[in-house]
Amino acid sequence: MGDEEKVDQRQFKVILLGDGAVGKTSIATRFSSDEFTQSYKQTIGLDFFIKHLILPGDVHVAMQMWDIGGQSISSKMLHNYIFGAHAILLCYDITNYESFANLEDWRAAAPGTRRRPRAAATDRARANKCDLSHMRAVKSEVHNRFADENVLYSFMMSAKSGDQVKSCFLRVAAVLSNTSFSRPEIEVESQTVVKATIVEHAQHDPNVHSGSVPAYTKSKSSCAVS
């Protein structure tokens, strides 16, 4: 590179664990390519995603995401998949309490996820499908208690809307690279432009022709607007 300073490049292996259909693939897809699909396709074994980030201080980070299939909890390959991971993300669906309860099994099955001081923790508890909060089966206080008891960072997000997905991974990258990243900076970096959909509605009541108003019909019911 001649007299130019060498770029600080780092790569981290991040594992997504959790039951099938909780949205692990959707989370990884939303973060890596900012896309979301309504259809569900089961992940068999594992899948890979990668996203390049530039953090403050010109730190270049490659986030290599390993999306582990939900059926892999009983697989002998699980330890091989997780080996060398820098961070493990425990994922569940807030509308499915069983997927939350099973996080204990996923955590126990993942080597190297023993309790540790929070400052050194690389584990994350993340709740997905927060756009369906009206169907919530896992209360926020239960989620927070699990995170506190197991010394985990916690995130609430929606792969469908993209809410908090990028900010979560930015926080993970910052912790792993020991990079200073303030909350306002993460919020600014996480902002995305949402394209508005133009809907063509009828401009006039179809019952109104050439400016004539339909005849008034007396109704037994009444309404008031305040």
Side-chain angles (χ1 to χ4, degrees):
M1 297 183 64
D3 296 331
E4 296 180 5
E5 294 185 3
K6 188 176 181 180
V7 176
D8 186 356
Q9 296 182 331
R10 309 180 192 185
Q11 179 169 302
F12 299 118
K13 178 180 178 180
V14 181
I15 306 295
L16 280 74
L17 293 181
D19 287 359
V22 301
K24 300 185 300 296
T25 301
S26 295
I27 290 172
T29 302
R30 171 61 75 180
F31 177 60
S32 61
S33 58
D34 197 22
E35 297 177 349
F36 178 81
T37 178
Q38 295 283 0
S39 60
Y40 171 68
K41 182 179 180 181
Q42 183 182 26
T43 300
I44 305 299
L46 75 159
D47 203 352
F48 300 94
F49 300 83
I50 192 165
K51 177 73 171 181
H52 295 276
L53 302 171
I54 300 179
L55 303 182
D58 200 29
V59 177
H60 293 237
V61 174
M63 298 289 281
Q64 186 185 77
M65 292 161 283
W66 291 46
D67 172 21
I68 310 299
Q71 77 284 353
S72 298
I73 191 170
S74 58
S75 171
K76 295 181 180 180
M77 293 297 294
L78 182 59
H79 287 194
N80 294 333
Y81 295 158
I82 296 174
F83 180 78
H86 297 91
I88 296 176
L89 309 180
L90 303 173
C91 310
Y92 75 94
D93 172 0
I94 67 168
T95 70
N96 182 344
Y97 188 86
E98 183 179 1
S99 70
F100 171 76
N102 288 340
L103 289 186
E104 290 285 2
D105 294 332
W106 282 106
R107 183 163 168 75
T113 56
R114 305 294 185 268
R115 295 185 180 183
R116 70 194 75 176
R118 186 179 296 275
T122 54
D123 305 331
R124 306 289 187 274
R126 57 162 61 179
N128 190 33
K129 304 187 182 181
C130 291
D131 55 292
L132 300 177
S133 58
H134 59 289
M135 300 171 59
R136 178 187 291 274
V138 182
K139 295 182 178 179
S140 297
E141 53 266 31
V142 176
H143 168 100
N144 293 333
R145 187 185 311 125
F146 174 81
D148 290 340
E149 290 177 351
N150 290 281
V151 196
L152 305 174
Y153 292 103
S154 67
F155 299 91
M156 308 291 285
M157 67 183 63
S158 168
K160 182 177 182 179
S161 67
D163 185 34
Q164 297 300 309
V165 174
K166 187 174 181 180
S167 61
C168 170
F169 279 101
L170 284 173
R171 179 71 68 183
V172 172
V175 172
L176 292 176
S177 61
N178 195 28
T179 302
S180 178
F181 221 147
S182 67
R183 182 181 294 275
E185 287 176 325
I186 288 181
E187 291 177 350
V188 170
E189 290 290 334
S190 301
Q191 290 179 355
T192 57
V193 177
V194 179
K195 294 182 178 180
T197 301
I198 299 177
V199 180
E200 295 290 344
H201 291 289
Q203 298 298 310
H204 301 287
D205 189 327
N207 294 320
V208 178
H209 302 285
S210 302
S212 60
V213 180
Y216 170 74
T217 302
K218 187 176 181 180
S219 173
K220 294 182 180 179
S221 62
S222 62
C223 66
V225 178
S226 60

